[in-house]
Amino acid sequence: MKILITGGAGFIGSNIVDAAIENGHKAVIVDNLSSGSINNINKKAKFYKTDIVDEKNILKIFKREKPDIVIHCAAQIDVRKSVADPKYDADINILGSLNILKACVENKTKKIIFASSGGTIYGECGVKAPDENAFPNPLSPYGIAKHSVENYIKFYSEIHGLKYTILRYGNIYGPRQDPKGEAGVIAIFALKMLNNEAVTVFGDGKQMRDYVYVADAVNANIAALKKADNQIINIGTNKAVTLNEIVAIISKLSKTNKKPVHKPKRDGELFKSFLNNDKAKKVLNWKPETNIIEGIKKTLDYFSNE
């Protein structure tokens, strides 16, 4: 089948493109290269350099390509940037997504797979990891936008018959993540420690996240091509790992002894976030295959070779 991947030159999107092609599908990439890289683009994929906010161009591309399935990864991904400029975040993450949904309907796309954010939609987590029935409580404009798009997708499904799978990701990490951006702490710390530089930890380092290796997230997308129609599914490990643990693992594997520099915690950041993955196991037959130590080692190897 023909799959159009928005953000297909980016971290998660480009890994999905590679897997789709390996599985015998045709891949079409839409990316404005604002955070993605031309080096990530699979030579077997067709590439359009355009922005999802460009409605006219998006409609033109969809009309030409007629994709069977769309995997929508393109987004403004920086939570702190969304806090500083909510309108900018909404212009891309909400209005851009509406352009994609409109194009899907007008060109009879069968299904959309949406990269949502379990790491922000549920808000602060308690003792138990939230499942998909937990009440959404996004505390940042980024999380609010992701949840809004989920509801728009449900509307387009109800009114226009567009099938969907919404994947609520934990914190995805691994090869091709931008180590010089604001998001993606494992990539940022990995590059710094490989260069024997001190990393900056905001707060006491006890904040917890659910870290999912990118290849595992890709497998969830490939499974969703044929499963989980009209379902919302958490893609997580059901485990919360502290930032201090991440620092310790990277420090040990990279053989650096530089102590982290601590600065005050930042506004808009959650203390604890992790996801129940029981539904993913049942509906997608998916579970994370890569533990945190193995995943960080693979990430360090990638950056060492770059």
Side-chain angles (χ1 to χ4, degrees):
M1 65 180 82
K2 184 183 282 190
I3 305 169
L4 186 148
I5 302 96
T6 70
F11 162 46
I12 300 173
S14 66
N15 280 287
I16 293 172
V17 170
D18 289 351
I21 290 170
E22 284 169 16
N23 279 271
H25 302 294
K26 294 178 181 177
V28 178
I29 295 170
V30 169
D31 199 302
N32 67 358
L33 299 181
S34 61
S35 58
S37 169
I38 198 80
N39 297 324
N40 292 341
I41 294 175
N42 192 305
K43 289 182 172 62
K44 294 181 180 178
K46 193 167 184 180
F47 172 55
Y48 292 93
K49 185 183 177 184
T50 196
D51 200 307
I52 60 170
V53 301
D54 185 345
E55 180 183 357
K56 187 176 179 182
N57 217 15
I58 289 295
L59 289 171
K60 191 185 298 181
I61 292 165
F62 271 71
K63 187 175 181 181
R64 183 181 300 138
E65 295 297 337
K66 301 287 185 187
D68 299 298
I69 291 183
V70 168
I71 300 179
H72 180 30
C73 299
Q76 189 296 114
I77 61 169
D78 191 335
V79 172
R80 287 177 291 282
K81 189 175 284 185
S82 81
V83 172
D85 193 349
K87 183 182 181 298
Y88 174 76
D89 183 84
D91 284 345
I92 298 169
N93 291 350
I94 297 178
L95 298 182
S97 296
L98 285 174
N99 288 340
I100 298 300
L101 288 167
K102 179 181 180 182
C104 284
V105 168
E106 289 190 4
N107 293 280
K108 295 181 170 53
T109 297
K110 297 180 182 73
K111 182 175 182 177
I112 185 167
I113 299 170
F114 176 55
S116 191
S117 172
T120 58
I121 280 177
Y122 296 114
E124 284 292 350
C125 295
V127 176
K128 288 186 176 181
D131 65 17
E132 293 81 358
N133 295 316
F135 187 76
N137 185 32
L139 300 175
S140 66
Y142 172 78
I144 292 166
K146 286 290 187 180
H147 189 233
S148 297
V149 174
E150 289 187 4
N151 287 319
Y152 277 114
I153 288 171
K154 291 177 189 174
F155 162 77
Y156 273 82
S157 178
E158 183 70 27
I159 301 301
H160 300 289
L162 176 64
K163 291 180 181 178
Y164 66 86
T165 301
I166 292 167
L167 301 178
R168 288 179 174 169
Y169 293 140
N171 282 54
I172 313 297
Y173 72 97
R176 297 183 187 162
Q177 191 165 31
D178 183 5
K180 296 176 182 177
E182 290 295 318
V185 69
I186 289 179
I188 294 166
F189 284 10
L191 187 62
K192 280 188 171 292
M193 289 192 190
L194 284 170
N195 292 328
N196 202 31
E197 298 174 19
V199 300
T200 301
V201 173
F202 294 93
D204 59 11
K206 294 179 182 177
Q207 55 266 50
M208 292 172 273
R209 296 291 183 271
D210 189 336
Y211 294 97
V212 182
Y213 187 63
V214 66
D216 290 331
V218 168
N219 289 340
N221 280 270
I222 298 303
L225 293 174
K226 296 181 179 178
K227 297 178 180 178
D229 286 353
N230 301 346
Q231 299 282 332
I232 296 175
I233 300 179
N234 288 340
I235 301 301
T237 68
N238 208 31
K239 295 175 184 175
V241 180
T242 70
L243 191 53
N244 288 333
E245 289 175 285
I246 296 296
V247 171
I249 293 167
I250 300 175
S251 181
K252 183 178 180 180
L253 291 173
S254 64
K255 297 181 172 61
T256 182
N257 55 8
K258 291 263 181 162
K259 298 293 182 186
V261 175
H262 285 266
K263 291 187 177 181
K265 74 181 289 289
R266 295 185 284 198
D267 293 336
E269 288 195 348
L270 301 173
F271 178 72
K272 184 179 184 181
S273 172
F274 65 136
L275 303 174
N276 181 300
N277 61 15
D278 289 345
K279 187 175 181 181
K281 292 175 183 176
K282 183 179 179 181
V283 177
L284 283 179
N285 193 28
W286 176 92
K287 63 179 181 179
E289 304 287 347
T290 312
N291 67 48
I292 190 71
I293 295 172
E294 182 187 353
I296 288 177
K297 186 179 185 307
K298 289 179 179 179
T299 304
L300 285 166
D301 288 345
Y302 171 79
F303 286 119
S304 294
N305 294 326
E306 277 295 288

